Amino acid sequence: MSGSTVEAMAKAVEDSSIVLMCASEKYKNSYNCRIEAEYAFKLQKTIVPLMMQKGYKPDGWLGILIGTKLFIDFTGKYELKESMKRLNTQIDRLVNVGEEQSTGSNQASLKKESAASGVSGAVLKWTASDVNKWLKDNKLEQYADKFACIDGETLSQIAFMRNQAPQCFFMQMIQMGIDFPSVLRLSFAVSELP
């Protein structure tokens, strides 16, 4: 981000059609998260809440903005792969509202997912073994167990989260037990995916 942080946040909200909003005590207590969320609400952006903290019940300003919306659980109740698939499904539903449903092939789906995440269609076809090799190539092999069920499709969804909701990405990786320097290395590796 260049320029002021607030300016960059405003531009990100203005340029988005969907805003992912994390629900956690830390998110609620963050001034920057609050102004970004309130701005998204003011612009009537579609908000998808992500529950990031087990047992947390949004209250105050965050409770008002989220209201009765259904959230996607990232508290560890489900494997990351399952939560990412649920998020991707929700985003697909929201993107397709008003659009003609495609009778399309898996190829069209791969192209759409690839474009949304910024990774190539080849990455989407990776197996868990390919992701494991990618971790090793990026000196992150110590986290292979945390990524054991992650394939290219899910890695693409992680890339999408990193690009569209970086705070959620960082929070999720840290909740998975990845230390901060490794999260930074992972973030860079995800940004460099082909």
Side-chain angles (χ1 to χ4, degrees):
M1 288 186 199
S2 60
S4 86
T5 303
V6 173
E7 194 173 298
M9 288 168 33
K11 179 158 178 31
V13 170
E14 290 162 0
D15 292 346
S16 69
S17 56
I18 298 170
V19 175
L20 304 179
M21 193 175 293
C22 300
S24 72
E25 193 70 35
K26 285 183 181 179
Y27 186 89
K28 181 190 169 213
N29 292 332
S30 165
Y31 174 74
N32 285 339
C33 292
R34 180 176 180 162
I35 61 172
E36 184 179 53
E38 288 178 349
Y39 191 51
F41 182 77
K42 178 183 176 195
L43 295 180
Q44 298 181 344
K45 297 293 183 172
T46 300
I47 295 172
V48 176
L50 309 177
M51 183 57 67
M52 305 301 287
Q53 181 181 333
K54 195 176 241 172
Y56 177 70
K57 295 191 185 336
D59 59 350
W61 70 266
L62 185 56
I64 288 172
L65 289 184
I66 291 177
T68 59
K69 295 179 189 294
L70 293 177
F71 61 84
I72 299 176
D73 196 307
F74 277 90
T75 64
K77 179 177 180 180
Y78 306 104
E79 287 188 13
L80 176 61
K81 183 175 184 173
E82 177 61 27
S83 295
M84 291 300 295
K85 281 189 177 184
R86 289 172 186 222
L87 175 58
N88 196 44
T89 299
Q90 179 66 9
I91 290 170
D92 281 346
R93 278 190 205 125
L94 293 167
V95 167
N96 289 327
V97 168
E99 288 182 12
E100 197 170 288
Q101 290 296 334
S102 143
T103 56
S105 63
N106 196 24
Q107 198 71 9
S109 174
L110 285 178
K111 282 183 184 174
K112 184 169 87 177
E113 210 170 304
S114 175
S117 66
V119 302
S120 72
V123 171
L124 292 171
K125 296 176 185 172
W126 282 6
T127 64
S129 296
D130 295 323
V131 172
N132 194 20
K133 181 186 178 316
W134 172 79
L135 287 169
K136 189 173 183 178
D137 292 346
N138 286 283
K139 298 181 171 83
L140 293 161
E141 62 272 6
Q142 70 270 32
Y143 300 109
D145 62 319
K146 297 184 184 307
F147 283 78
C149 64
I150 304 294
D151 58 13
E153 205 174 300
T154 307
L155 188 60
S156 170
Q157 293 166 357
I158 291 170
F160 179 81
M161 179 189 280
R162 182 206 168 272
N163 294 338
Q164 300 300 315
Q167 288 176 320
C168 292
F169 167 81
F170 280 94
M171 285 177 68
Q172 182 62 40
M173 295 304 114
I174 288 172
Q175 283 181 353
M176 286 174 61
I178 301 174
D179 64 74
F180 187 69
S182 295
V183 171
L184 294 176
R185 194 170 35 245
L186 177 65
S187 176
F188 179 74
V190 167
S191 74
E192 295 291 307
L193 280 167

